């Protein structure tokens, strides 16, 4: 599993995963052929195919990030109901359980990922966990949750889709509710990782121009400044909390922040 402090976008696919992709190819993880079929499918179909082996890839959100976010959110509670947006196989949903007193809901549009999440869930624990299949751009909730989180899914949304995505989360929250997610610092121009991510996005743009159905997954379309502006326009007040577990850059800025957006 990746331990880099820069993870922020992709379905749990930390940008460090590009450098550690070899760990995907284990006896439990997907084969190269299976990954190729996934990459040439739609997003939904691709994750349906990957779901049974997803937790054996470096694309799963690392526990290190989940623990850091849980530690930052705990003093901001208590929370009654929690929502994991684009929950995948449920790693973030399980993180929410100790933070929420009544119920936790995981929502995803991949039936395969939800099936894997249900299989891994312990129904005997409290609070109760519910699973819902829905597009994150059309969440079927209104004023039901005190806390919403999302891990590693934002690379699947184009910048023009952020306003409707954030508006749906805003509707799903009760007044005063929080929407929280980690975001990594931008990579220095000229660094190896900067060019790796730039190259990955370029390849994906070419793939989507030449092949249908599209598979939207970009690493450089979720800048903090634009994200903060879209959250404010959706009705949130926004503050940033450094996740000190991941250190700081040479200029003193944190490698990773938690975006905490509150519904007024």
């Amino acid at each position: 599993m990746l331990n880099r402090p820069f993870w922020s976008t992709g379905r749990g696919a930390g940008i460090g995963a590009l450098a550690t992709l070899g760990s995907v190819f284990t006896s439990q993880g997907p084969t190269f052929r299976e990954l190729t079929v996934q990459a040439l499918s739609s997003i939904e179909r691709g994750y349906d195919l990957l779901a049974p082996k997803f937790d054996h890839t470096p694309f799963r959100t690392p526990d290190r990030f989940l623990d850091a976010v849980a530690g930052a959110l705990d003093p901001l509670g208590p929370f009654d109901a929690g929502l994991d947006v684009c929950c995948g196989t449920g790693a973030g949903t399980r993180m929410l359980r100790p933070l929420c007193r009544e119920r936790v809901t995981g929502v995803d549009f991949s039936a395969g990922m939800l099936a894997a999440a249900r299989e891994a869930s312990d129904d005997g624990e409290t609070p109760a966990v519910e699973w819902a299949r829905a597009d994150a751009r059309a969440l079927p909730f209104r004023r039901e949750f005190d806390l919403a989180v999302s891990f590693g899914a934002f690379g699947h949304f184009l910048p023009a889709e952020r306003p409707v995505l954030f508006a749906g989360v805003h509707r799903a929250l009760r007044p005063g509710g929080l929407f929280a997610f980690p975001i990594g610092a931008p990579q220095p121009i000229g660094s190896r990782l900067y060019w790796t991510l730039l190259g990955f996005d370029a390849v994906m743009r070419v793939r989507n121009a030449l092949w249908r159905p599209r598979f939207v997954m970009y690493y450089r379309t979720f800048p903090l400044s634009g994200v903060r502006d879209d959250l404010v326009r959706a009705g949130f007040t926004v503050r940033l909390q450094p996740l000190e577990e991941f250190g700081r850059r040479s200029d003193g800025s944190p490698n990773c922040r938690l975006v905490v957006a509150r519904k007024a």
Side-chain angles (χ1 to χ4, degrees):
M1 305 306 294
L2 58 146
N3 293 309
R4 293 176 180 268
F6 309 113
W7 169 89
S8 61
T9 58
R11 180 71 67 99
I15 56 186
L18 293 174
T20 59
L21 197 55
S23 60
V24 172
F25 306 108
T26 67
S27 59
Q28 294 177 301
T31 65
F32 180 78
R33 180 183 181 279
E34 288 171 331
L35 285 173
T36 301
V37 172
Q38 181 215 7
L40 295 178
S41 304
S42 67
I43 303 174
E44 181 179 356
R45 177 59 176 160
Y47 280 110
D48 285 347
L49 294 171
L50 184 60
K53 299 181 179 181
F54 182 82
D55 284 349
H56 299 292
T57 73
F59 305 142
R60 178 192 178 276
T61 305
D63 289 338
R64 186 184 181 200
F65 282 94
L66 298 172
D67 293 343
V69 172
L73 290 175
D74 184 58
L76 305 180
F79 307 102
D80 288 332
L83 176 66
D84 184 7
V85 181
C86 303
C87 66
T89 55
T93 312
R94 290 187 287 275
M95 180 220 72
L96 282 174
R97 294 185 93 163
L99 298 175
C100 299
R101 299 183 293 194
E102 295 180 1
R103 68 186 177 101
V104 172
T105 299
V107 61
D108 203 281
F109 78 157
S110 165
M113 298 290 269
L114 288 172
R118 288 191 187 96
E119 185 176 350
S121 180
D122 184 351
D123 294 333
E125 293 184 10
T126 55
V129 175
E130 305 166 347
W131 306 101
R133 187 181 181 193
D135 190 319
R137 295 163 295 190
L139 292 173
F141 310 112
R142 185 173 292 274
R143 295 193 175 194
E144 296 186 35
F145 302 98
D146 307 290
L147 172 63
V149 298
S150 190
F151 294 94
F154 296 127
H156 294 305
F157 300 97
L158 298 172
E161 297 173 313
R162 286 200 306 259
V164 69
L165 171 67
F166 293 162
V169 176
H170 188 273
R171 281 194 307 273
L173 290 170
R174 295 165 180 157
L178 298 181
F179 179 32
F181 52 87
I183 189 167
Q187 301 309 306
I189 296 176
S191 68
R192 180 180 178 183
L193 193 51
Y194 174 89
W195 290 107
T196 299
L197 300 183
L198 183 67
F200 179 90
D201 283 4
V203 170
M204 288 301 295
R205 292 184 187 282
V206 172
R207 178 257 186 240
N208 288 330
L210 300 177
W211 190 268
R212 292 291 184 273
R214 294 190 308 167
F215 192 98
V216 176
M217 174 57 233
Y218 299 111
Y219 284 101
R220 302 179 68 253
T221 57
F222 202 73
L224 178 57
S225 58
V227 168
R228 181 161 41 191
D229 290 345
D230 287 342
L231 285 168
V232 170
R233 281 191 284 267
F236 291 100
T237 58
V238 181
R239 70 178 182 85
L240 304 175
Q241 181 169 334
L243 294 176
E244 298 292 358
E245 293 90 336
F246 306 110
R248 291 181 175 264
R249 301 176 359 144
S250 58
D251 62 1
S253 62
N255 279 317
C256 191
R257 294 179 172 94
L258 184 68
V259 177
V260 181
R262 184 179 294 275
K263 179 175 179 176

